[in-house]
Amino acid sequence: MAGENNSTVIKLENSLIVEILGINNENLFFCEAKLNLQILQKGNIIIIHGAKKNRDIVKNTIIQLSKELKNLDQKNQNSFQEILYMQINNDLNEDNIKNFTVAKTSKLSVTGKTQKQNEYLEALYSKQIVFGIGPAGTGKTYLAVAAAVAQLLEGKYDRIILSRPAVEAGEKLGFLPGDIKEKVDPYLRPFYDAIYELLPMDEALRKIQSSMIEIAPLAFMRGRTLNNAFVILDEAQNATSTQIKMFLTRCGKNSRMVVNGDPSQVDLPKHIGSGLIDSMQALEQLSEVGITNFSKKDIVRDEIVSKIIDAYESYNKYKSDLVSSYDG
């Protein structure tokens, strides 16, 4: 790869040309439209003309996708456009993306895709208590479970405990069919989804049946002392300060406690306040605590997720301004 004045020349590996350029060069046309570039192709050579920052975004996208295509262990590979959006949103280059490997099992390897994700992963390996705060789609749950699985397989912990508050999001548990496990399991389904993606099905089931991996509502944590365990509380915006304190004080010898949540998605009744931010602020001075605040730039789901969040924020601001104008 070489750059000169207002152009960048990139030589592609022949085996990767189709995956990188897309069908009928659709990825190149997408870059031209999105970043106001002119891109020419001659065999396995592409020449990019335009602003240097935008040329670098395309170059870094190709570097990252090439690495993922050649990594046979990485089965949840990102598309060209997904990586391009992450490069645009984070203005990263290949030196900033540390590709901090979390879970490398017979099934999957997981890496951080943004600076914040990498900071979060490092905290999940180095801090005893970790807070992950931010909007949906930033990888809080998935990365925490991936780190937990990796460290379980490495023998750093004897078990993983995954927990969520069983709070109804506009629906009532009592009207659901089945016993308490059948009523609560839908709230814990994201944990099962992550586990089954990270481990072969038979291995995941064995670990769940043997209680090496335990998935339970937050209420089941009360009265326990958790030693040699990696423990995750997800959707913590739906827990009170007292509940989060109860959760964190379950921490025993050689245990790691993770608290994740999105303060903008509280499902608690209005008279019951969320304890997520209060708990984080109460503990942020402790050296054992690591805090990662994710933003919209860290959303790694489909681009529509960012658009949905922007649309809701704009609408809420419009409603707030409207109310203010009437009050005035």
Side-chain angles (χ1 to χ4, degrees):
M1 298 191 184
E4 46 183 72
N5 296 331
N6 67 338
S7 67
T8 297
V9 179
I10 303 175
K11 183 177 182 180
L12 305 176
E13 295 185 34
N14 290 326
S15 61
L16 304 180
I17 289 177
V18 175
E19 287 89 344
I20 290 175
L21 300 186
I23 299 172
N24 296 324
N25 288 355
E26 62 181 351
N27 291 335
L28 297 189
F29 296 132
F30 182 78
C31 290
E32 288 183 321
K34 189 73 177 175
L35 298 170
N36 192 28
L37 295 170
Q38 181 183 15
I39 305 178
L40 306 175
Q41 181 208 357
K42 297 180 180 179
N44 69 334
I45 301 292
I46 63 172
I47 304 169
I48 309 171
H49 296 283
K52 183 178 186 307
K53 180 178 178 180
N54 292 343
R55 285 185 278 131
D56 286 346
I57 286 173
V58 176
K59 180 183 76 172
N60 294 330
T61 298
I62 292 172
I63 290 173
Q64 184 66 18
L65 181 57
S66 298
K67 288 179 182 177
E68 293 193 11
L69 290 169
K70 289 188 284 188
N71 183 356
L72 299 179
D73 291 328
Q74 187 160 335
K75 296 183 181 180
N76 65 334
Q77 172 196 310
N78 296 287
S79 70
F80 183 97
Q81 292 186 17
E82 286 174 330
I83 296 174
L84 184 76
Y85 277 120
M86 286 187 282
Q87 293 288 340
I88 292 171
N89 288 337
N90 293 280
D91 194 20
L92 300 175
N93 59 41
E94 65 271 28
D95 296 323
N96 296 128
I97 299 175
K98 301 181 225 177
N99 283 335
F100 188 99
T101 300
V102 182
K104 189 169 186 179
T105 68
S106 56
K107 186 173 182 182
L108 193 63
S109 293
V110 176
T111 58
K113 297 170 184 174
T114 71
Q115 284 178 315
K116 285 293 184 181
Q117 284 196 353
N118 280 315
E119 289 174 14
Y120 182 57
L121 294 176
E122 290 175 11
L124 291 168
Y125 273 81
S126 61
K127 297 292 185 178
Q128 191 168 11
I129 296 174
V130 180
F131 284 87
I133 311 296
T138 51
K140 302 183 298 296
T141 302
Y142 187 77
L143 293 174
V145 175
V149 169
Q151 293 177 70
L152 178 74
L153 297 178
E154 291 167 8
K156 292 182 179 178
Y157 299 100
D158 295 336
R159 55 183 171 154
I160 298 170
I161 301 173
L162 308 171
S163 185
R164 278 185 165 199
V167 175
E168 298 99 331
E171 299 176 8
K172 297 297 181 183
L173 282 171
F175 288 98
L176 295 175
D179 59 21
I180 184 63
K181 182 180 185 302
E182 291 170 320
K183 290 176 186 288
V184 167
D185 265 0
Y187 292 89
L188 306 173
R189 179 52 53 185
F191 285 138
Y192 288 103
D193 292 342
I195 292 294
Y196 293 147
E197 188 171 332
L198 292 161
L199 291 171
M201 181 68 75
D202 58 342
E203 185 180 354
L205 289 173
R206 283 198 307 273
K207 284 180 165 45
I208 291 171
Q209 289 167 359
S210 68
S211 295
M212 285 184 71
I213 298 177
E214 178 184 345
I215 304 175
L218 176 58
F220 286 34
M221 298 294 104
R222 191 173 298 279
R224 304 176 65 180
T225 300
L226 306 173
N227 297 317
N228 300 310
F230 195 116
V231 192
I232 301 171
L233 173 61
D234 203 34
E235 299 290 338
Q237 75 274 4
N238 289 327
T240 65
S241 292
T242 301
Q243 288 174 319
I244 295 176
K245 180 181 177 182
M246 177 275 290
F247 171 80
L248 292 174
T249 52
R250 301 308 93 203
C251 187
K253 293 181 180 178
N254 187 41
S255 285
R256 175 162 289 135
M257 313 293 285
V258 181
V259 179
N260 289 331
D262 177 1
S264 71
Q265 293 191 3
V266 176
D267 296 316
L268 291 167
K270 293 191 183 211
H271 65 280
I272 300 176
S274 170
L276 178 58
I277 299 301
D278 284 346
S279 298
M280 183 186 72
Q281 292 175 343
L283 300 174
E284 63 185 351
Q285 300 303 321
L286 298 180
S287 60
E288 296 87 354
V289 174
I291 297 173
T292 302
N293 285 290
F294 294 100
S295 70
K296 289 182 294 184
K297 290 183 177 181
D298 299 295
I299 293 174
V300 292
R301 289 184 193 163
D302 192 278
E303 187 196 7
I304 190 62
V305 176
S306 295
K307 290 183 177 180
I308 290 169
I309 291 172
D310 285 340
Y312 270 99
E313 288 182 353
S314 298
Y315 179 66
N316 288 334
K317 184 178 185 304
Y318 164 76
K319 286 201 303 182
S320 176
D321 291 345
L322 197 62
V323 171
S324 298
S325 66
Y326 278 115
D327 288 344

